[in-house]
Amino acid sequence: SLVFHKELSEVNSEERRRAKIINFGIIYGMGAQSLSKELNIKFSEAKEFIQNYYEKFPKIIDFIEKQKAFAQKEGYVETIFGRRLYLSNIHSSNQQFRSEAERVAVNMPIQGTAADIIKIAMIRLHEIFKDNDKIKMIIQVHDELVFEVENTYVDEAKKIIKETMENALPEKYSDKVKLLVEAGVGSNWAEAH
């Protein structure tokens, strides 16, 4: 809603998809050229999106710089769960290698934390459903989980899955970030979207 200057209730799925590209792209160092290609918009429009984004979210620049500084000082970055990734090229004399390590220093804590969260949700859901013949976890696709569920159990399963996934974040962060989960149903994965 902030990216497109709309009320949250007015944002459609295409705008949400585009906002995700903008959010993740900018945080991971995507420039106006790449953003224009990704969104199929003019370079000037992409450049304006990036400028407006930094104006609306000035702390993003601070976050990016803090991540790079931490990585340069410590030689690693980590998720909120403490899983570390060591960056051997963070002090490289090769600018290309160093720049890539800096992008990873910004990316990994976010993507890595997301991966940790989905794994925590999977473990909890496995424990909940392991003796239930009406449901089977099939696959993880990025931030999605796919289940086979008996028709008579779909509504109950959706409620349990949604609640479990939305509560996978540790308590000390859950008051700062609210995880929202959407559940779709269909005879195949594509249909469930």
Side-chain angles (χ1 to χ4, degrees):
S1 70
L2 292 172
V3 169
F4 292 106
H5 313 286
K6 290 182 164 187
E7 291 296 318
L8 189 57
S9 60
E10 296 174 6
V11 176
N12 64 39
S13 59
E14 176 59 18
E15 289 165 330
R16 183 177 182 276
R17 184 191 71 77
R18 291 168 61 100
K20 279 177 81 172
I21 291 169
I22 293 165
N23 281 314
F24 290 120
I26 291 171
I27 289 170
Y28 303 148
M30 181 185 285
Q33 186 71 35
S34 296
L35 186 60
S36 69
K37 286 180 184 174
E38 193 71 30
L39 294 178
N40 196 24
I41 59 176
K42 293 178 184 174
F43 176 82
S44 59
E45 191 178 353
K47 190 174 177 182
E48 187 177 333
F49 263 127
I50 292 170
Q51 288 171 342
N52 290 340
Y53 187 90
Y54 284 139
E55 286 172 13
K56 284 180 193 157
F57 307 107
K59 289 186 178 184
I60 294 293
I61 295 170
D62 292 341
F63 169 78
I64 291 169
E65 293 309 314
K66 283 179 184 175
Q67 285 303 116
K68 289 177 185 180
F70 180 89
Q72 289 165 352
K73 181 180 178 208
E74 302 297 332
Y76 68 88
V77 289
E78 61 187 3
T79 69
I80 63 172
F81 296 93
R83 188 165 52 88
R84 291 182 179 180
L85 176 66
Y86 288 87
L87 302 167
S88 60
N89 288 324
I90 197 67
H91 297 112
S92 176
S93 58
N94 181 310
Q95 174 62 37
Q96 185 177 356
F97 291 163
R98 191 173 59 254
S99 292
E100 177 60 24
E102 289 174 350
R103 282 190 292 279
V104 171
V106 175
N107 182 346
M108 183 280 188
I110 298 167
Q111 292 283 66
T113 295
D116 292 349
I117 290 169
I118 195 79
K119 297 297 189 278
I120 288 167
M122 290 172 73
I123 290 166
R124 290 178 182 170
L125 287 166
H126 170 75
E127 284 302 310
I128 293 167
F129 295 133
K130 69 181 177 186
D131 297 322
N132 187 335
D133 293 335
K134 296 177 185 176
I135 185 168
K136 182 177 181 183
M137 193 179 331
I138 302 297
I139 192 171
Q140 171 204 351
V141 182
H142 303 294
D143 62 349
E144 297 182 37
L145 297 177
V146 180
F147 296 84
E148 278 186 2
V149 184
E150 284 186 16
N151 288 335
T152 58
Y153 191 63
V154 168
D155 290 337
E156 187 175 346
K158 278 174 53 175
K159 183 179 178 210
I160 294 167
I161 293 164
K162 185 173 171 31
E163 183 178 306
T164 303
M165 290 179 75
E166 288 181 344
N167 290 298
L169 196 60
E171 258 185 67
K172 72 179 189 176
Y173 298 106
S174 61
D175 65 333
K176 294 178 177 81
V177 177
K178 174 80 173 117
L179 298 180
L180 298 174
V181 174
E182 296 174 358
V185 177
S187 59
N188 59 54
W189 183 56
E191 194 178 292
H193 282 88

